[in-house]
Amino acid sequence: MALINKVGLQGCGIFLPLFGWVLSCTATWVPLWKNLNLDLNEMEIWNMGLWQVCIFQEEGPMECKDYTSFLALPPELRISRVLMSLSNVLGLLGLVFAICGLDCLTCGGEGTKKRLLLLAAVTFYCAGLTTLFPVSWVAYIAVKEFWDEDTPELVPRWEFGEALFMGWFGGVFLILGGMLLTCSACCSRAQPQLPHYTPTQQRVQYVYVEPKNADLRI
């Protein structure tokens, strides 16, 4: 039963971070971090990402433009670029470490596999935190600017994009996968139990029985 639970933990500890890593990578590259809907032109929606700004028009194709300068970006977007890219690399390394530490593979001993699982768990923790921090920071700036009293009411305000929610879910899945791998590494493999004998069963008594026809002579 312990072995079955360990295999189940390892399976969930692989699929959850894999799904979280895919969400994190998608959130890094899609231009959906912030949305802006103009009241004067409701058919035009602006989308801001880490790498470009896109304009979506219902009657025409979506037009995107890359940022011309990295230093001209707001600080939350500059740091989010670095952290999200680092999260993608850490998530990939964590998947490699986790796969190499699975019990279903024959390479390496039990101690090596345990260390690989713990290393994968720590890597997933770091990947999840480096995903949650930038998306939460961008969301905080969006909320702060949305409720800024100094901004006139006629000025449109940026709102949450779909990429923020993908980043939140991806970071949570990465951290949960690391926790499952930690529990899997701490689970000891069940040792086979040897049969237990009582002292009376271990004692062998030899009784000499005299043959009945011992007096017969040939």
Side-chain angles (χ1 to χ4, degrees):
M1 182 63 68
L3 182 58
I4 296 177
N5 294 335
K6 187 175 182 181
V7 173
L9 288 176
Q10 291 182 358
C12 294
I14 290 291
F15 286 107
L16 278 181
L18 177 60
F19 187 54
W21 177 70
V22 172
L23 288 176
S24 178
C25 292
T26 305
T28 303
W29 299 103
V30 295
L32 297 173
W33 282 62
K34 290 182 180 181
N35 296 333
L36 180 63
N37 191 357
L38 300 177
D39 295 335
L40 298 178
N41 188 4
E42 297 181 355
M43 301 179 64
E44 186 175 275
I45 300 176
W46 290 63
N47 297 319
M48 177 185 292
L50 299 180
W51 310 93
Q52 57 186 358
V53 176
C54 297
I55 302 176
F56 177 76
Q57 299 177 355
E58 293 186 1
E59 297 181 355
M62 183 174 60
E63 299 179 0
C64 296
K65 182 180 179 181
D66 297 336
Y67 297 122
T68 57
S69 175
F70 175 76
L71 299 178
L73 293 174
E76 66 271 12
L77 294 184
R78 293 200 305 267
I79 297 178
S80 296
R81 271 191 185 185
V82 177
L83 292 180
M84 292 300 291
S85 301
L86 179 61
S87 174
N88 297 338
V89 175
L90 291 176
L92 181 60
L93 289 177
L95 289 173
V96 174
F97 294 148
I99 293 174
C100 295
L102 294 177
D103 289 341
C104 59
L105 298 180
T106 57
C107 60
E110 185 176 357
T112 303
K113 290 181 178 296
K114 182 178 181 179
R115 287 189 292 268
L116 286 174
L117 290 178
L118 292 176
L119 181 60
V122 174
T123 308
F124 286 144
Y125 291 148
C126 297
L129 292 177
T130 51
T131 299
L132 292 176
F133 179 76
V135 295
S136 300
W137 190 11
V138 173
Y140 168 75
I141 297 298
V143 173
K144 184 178 179 181
E145 293 177 350
F146 187 87
W147 297 107
D148 189 4
E149 297 180 355
D150 298 333
T151 304
E153 296 182 359
L154 297 177
V155 176
R157 292 172 173 82
W158 292 97
E159 298 183 7
F160 290 175
E162 292 80 357
L164 296 182
F165 298 97
M166 288 189 291
W168 277 321
F169 280 105
V172 171
F173 288 154
L174 286 168
I175 294 177
L176 288 178
M179 295 174 61
L180 292 177
L181 289 180
T182 303
C183 297
S184 174
C186 295
C187 290
S188 59
R189 181 174 296 181
Q191 299 293 336
Q193 296 182 357
L194 297 176
H196 179 71
Y197 297 99
T198 60
T200 56
Q201 293 176 335
Q202 294 179 355
R203 188 185 303 115
V204 179
Q205 297 180 356
Y206 296 93
V207 180
Y208 175 75
V209 180
E210 185 178 358
K212 296 180 179 181
N213 300 327
D215 298 335
L216 297 177
R217 295 181 181 178
I218 300 174

